[in-house]
Each structure stands twice: as structure tokens, then as C-alpha cells.
Amino acid sequence: MSLHKIAVIGGDGIGPEVVEAGVEVLEALAAVEPGLAFDFKRFDWGSDYYRRNGRMMPQDGLEQIKGFDAIYFGSVGDPNLPDDVTLWGLRLAICQGFDQYANVRPTRLLPGLTGPLRPDLGKQIDWVIVRENSEGEYAGVGGRAHRGLPIEVGIDVAVFTRAGIERIARFACELALSRPRKLLTVVTKSNAQRHGMVLWDEVVRGVLRDYPGLSVDWMLVDAMTQRMVNKPGSIDTVLATNLHADILSDLAAALGGSLGIGSTSNIDPSRSRPSMFEPIHGSAFDITGKGVANPLGSFWTASLMLEHLGEQAAARRLMVAIELVTDRAEYLSPDLGGAASTAEVTSAVIAAVSGVNSPSS
């Protein structure tokens, strides 16, 4: 039997709601998938923890979770706390502390969903965006001076290193090769960002020489947004910097129907530390506690976590269940144009996973 130790961090807003729904689904999956088992341990870190303790997580937080097989994360952010405090105090502290340098975000238009594009374009969406997750514009280098004075200044430095670029480029190339189309689009902005992004281009081109089996094209990030809308079928695997991929992946999720279905993996490819898996919708305090949050992003995220844990059959079973549910209008949540509650969507996915009263029947 495969027993996977999972650290569960619900975080803020709707995070605990959708992650707990995901735990229910994973437990249902373990009940029907031979040899699959989980040991979940919950950590109450986040903005409420900050209000009690002055920190988003304990000082030894990384030490507490480093022995787990994976981290299942909900969201971070609170309208009553500065975003830089909440993000850097928890999510980025884990990503950077565990060197989870590869952020992977898949997008497909799931059955029954339409999205904002014309149907003939929407059905072409089948992408995976690889985001450099440790440096670039989010390296945290910079500072402020002369606070409160007319000459106050704030500086953020985008940090690009040869080692950081090379390792994410190799990760993206390997992922692109594993997909049927073997097509990689490299996103840049080296026409305007003349130092870091020029280094990005040079290092990526050097890595690409080791992957002659790939078809590769290049896009400026602004042009890439238009391509995603106008020619979605021309895209497969995308490699982009921390900031650029952050923006493009939210656009991708919206084109796929809703931010509520978006999923992501924060991967340490060395597997020396646990990787972290999270839906991308954020804390959504406007719907917190109303029972209407879309849990599908957390379920898709759980499928990514299963893949990372080597549970390919279970991951496929969960994705099939998700697709069975999205194909029935009565199981769509409000963000997808339906009226189903979080609990109703969760129950439908559990039924599909279990093969009892499956939504497909």
C-alpha cells in the first residue's frame, strides 16, 4: 500500500473550504483505488494565525513540513492585511524555502464548459504553462528609502541567473517532449528589458540545442496574450518568467472558463523537499463562508499532486470524475454560470469517483 503523508494548509478565505472538499474527494478516491492511502495533517497557518502570533506561520514552519510527501495548499491573502505580508510570510516562504522553482499550470476547456472564446477556438485550448518560480521579478531584491518624504523611493530588482534560467528551461523542454505535440513557446520581453531578459534568451537558446526533437517558437509577452485569444490551437507548452507566466496563466484559466478551475504545482524537481499544490483562484473573501466556492480547481490540483506522487491511475480517475461533473449543468457552480454549491459539486465528484450514482449515468 502507498501511504502518502500530506500537509494540508487551508490558508485564508475560501482556501480551507475548497481544500477540505479536496481532502474529502481524495479520501473517497483512496476507498476505491487499490493500494492508495493518505495521512493528512492540517496546519492552521495564514492570516488568522498572523493575528494571533504576528507571523503567517511558525518560525520553524518549514522544518515542521519538510518530511511530508506533498503540501496541499488553499490560498493566502486577507483584505485587512498587506498583501506583501501575507504572500511573503506563507506561500512564497514555502516556495522559496523549499526551492520549488518550477510552477506548472495546465489549462483545458473541460467538457460542458464554454469560456469566453468562440466554441471553435475554446475547444482548441490544451496548454501547460511552465513558470520560473524562484527569481525574476519576485526575487524579493530591492527596498524603500526616505519613507514618507517627497523623495521616497521604492525599488524592485528583477533577478535572472544563468543557473536559474537553465534549470527551468530544461524542465520545460522535458515536459514539452513528454507531450504529443512536442511544441514549446518561449515567452520573452528582451526588446525592452535589455539585460535580464536578454540573458534569458541567450541561456534558453543554449539549452534548446540539447533538445533537437522539439519544435520551438518565441513570442513577446504582449503578443502572447493576443495569440492565446486568437490562435489558441497554436500553443502547447509555454515557458515564461515568474511575472510573465503569473499573468499569462490567469488569462489561461479565464479562457478555460473560470479562475475557479485553475490548478497549479510548485515543484522541487530534485524531490529532496516536498512540492506544493494549490488552486490559483486566491482567497476570494467576497464569497467566503457562503458555500458557493468552486472546488474544481482544488480537485484538479489534487490530480496534479497524485501524478507527482506516482499515482497515475488515481490521477486519471479523478480527472475523469471532474469531467463527468462539468458536463452536467446542474453541477456547475455560480462562477461557471450554474447554481450548485461547494458541497453539491463535491458530492457529485465523489459519486463519480466512486462509480455510485455517477453523473454519467
Side-chain angles (χ1 to χ4, degrees):
M1 174 177 288
S2 300
L3 177 62
H4 301 293
K5 294 176 57 181
I6 310 297
V8 179
I9 306 172
D12 299 333
I14 64 169
E17 300 174 42
V18 297
V19 164
E20 287 303 320
V23 169
E24 288 184 50
V25 168
L26 287 169
E27 289 176 334
L29 186 62
V32 296
E33 192 70 31
L36 180 64
F38 299 100
D39 178 11
F40 296 105
K41 182 173 180 181
R42 292 163 175 82
F43 296 83
D44 65 342
W45 304 343
S47 294
D48 286 342
Y49 185 93
Y50 179 89
R51 278 184 271 270
R52 296 192 304 269
N53 300 281
R55 302 177 59 90
M56 292 293 288
M57 67 177 185
Q59 190 165 356
D60 66 342
L62 295 182
E63 185 69 22
Q64 290 188 35
I65 60 176
K66 72 176 184 181
F68 285 81
D69 297 314
I71 304 160
Y72 195 26
F73 186 85
S75 63
V76 66
D78 186 302
N80 297 311
L81 293 174
D83 284 342
D84 62 309
V85 170
T86 57
L87 185 64
W88 281 94
L90 187 55
R91 184 190 176 276
L92 289 181
I94 295 172
C95 286
Q96 296 196 355
F98 285 158
D99 201 21
Q100 298 165 347
Y101 68 82
N103 179 285
V104 182
R105 295 190 178 185
T107 305
R108 284 190 293 114
L109 191 62
L110 300 179
L113 304 187
T114 56
L117 298 184
R118 296 194 319 259
D120 61 310
L121 293 177
K123 67 182 182 181
Q124 298 175 23
I125 298 174
D126 187 359
W127 309 326
V128 59
I129 297 176
V130 176
R131 169 185 175 184
E132 200 292 315
N133 207 33
S134 66
E135 49 183 43
E137 298 80 2
Y138 298 170
V141 176
R144 292 174 62 181
H146 310 299
R147 290 176 181 253
L149 298 177
I151 59 171
E152 182 172 2
V153 60
I155 299 173
D156 279 294
V157 179
V159 176
F160 297 93
T161 66
R162 179 172 294 276
I165 299 167
E166 180 174 350
R167 67 183 185 175
I168 196 62
R170 291 196 182 280
F171 181 94
C173 287
E174 295 289 345
L175 181 57
L177 277 178
S178 73
R179 290 168 60 86
R181 297 176 66 186
K182 296 177 171 46
L183 170 63
L184 178 67
T185 298
V186 182
V187 174
T188 186
K189 192 58 181 172
S190 52
N191 61 335
Q193 294 174 274
R194 59 187 299 189
H195 303 297
M197 291 305 304
V198 171
L199 176 64
W200 169 273
D201 291 356
E202 292 173 357
V203 175
V204 172
R205 289 188 191 281
V207 169
L208 290 172
R209 286 196 287 268
D210 294 335
Y211 296 89
L214 281 178
S215 297
V216 181
D217 57 45
W218 294 70
M219 292 292 293
L220 295 176
V221 63
D222 43 348
M224 188 64 183
T225 61
Q226 299 183 56
R227 181 174 169 185
M228 291 169 67
V229 173
N230 295 322
K231 296 182 178 180
S234 70
I235 303 166
D236 187 79
T237 306
V238 178
L239 169 62
T241 67
N242 214 335
L243 176 61
H244 293 163
D246 189 8
I247 296 167
L248 294 177
S249 55
D250 276 13
L251 172 59
L255 295 176
S258 169
L259 287 180
I261 63 172
S263 60
T264 192
S265 308
N266 300 287
I267 303 294
D268 167 23
S270 76
R271 295 181 178 264
S272 61
R273 294 154 292 247
S275 295
M276 183 164 66
F277 302 84
E278 59 175 323
I280 69 171
H281 47 58
S283 53
F285 266 78
D286 57 323
I287 59 170
T288 298
K290 297 181 179 179
V292 298
N294 184 351
L296 292 178
S298 68
F299 301 161
W300 195 341
T301 293
S303 179
L304 298 180
M305 183 168 65
L306 289 166
E307 288 182 0
H308 181 75
L309 294 171
E311 301 289 354
Q312 306 300 331
R316 287 192 297 271
R317 183 173 189 145
L318 178 51
M319 281 308 302
V320 168
I322 292 168
E323 292 176 3
L324 287 170
V325 169
T326 62
D327 207 23
R328 294 287 296 272
E330 62 266 36
Y331 295 120
L332 297 183
S333 51
D335 60 307
L336 295 173
S341 67
T342 306
E344 288 169 337
V345 177
T346 303
S347 295
V349 172
I350 289 174
V353 161
S354 306
V356 178
N357 298 323
S358 168
S360 64
S361 61

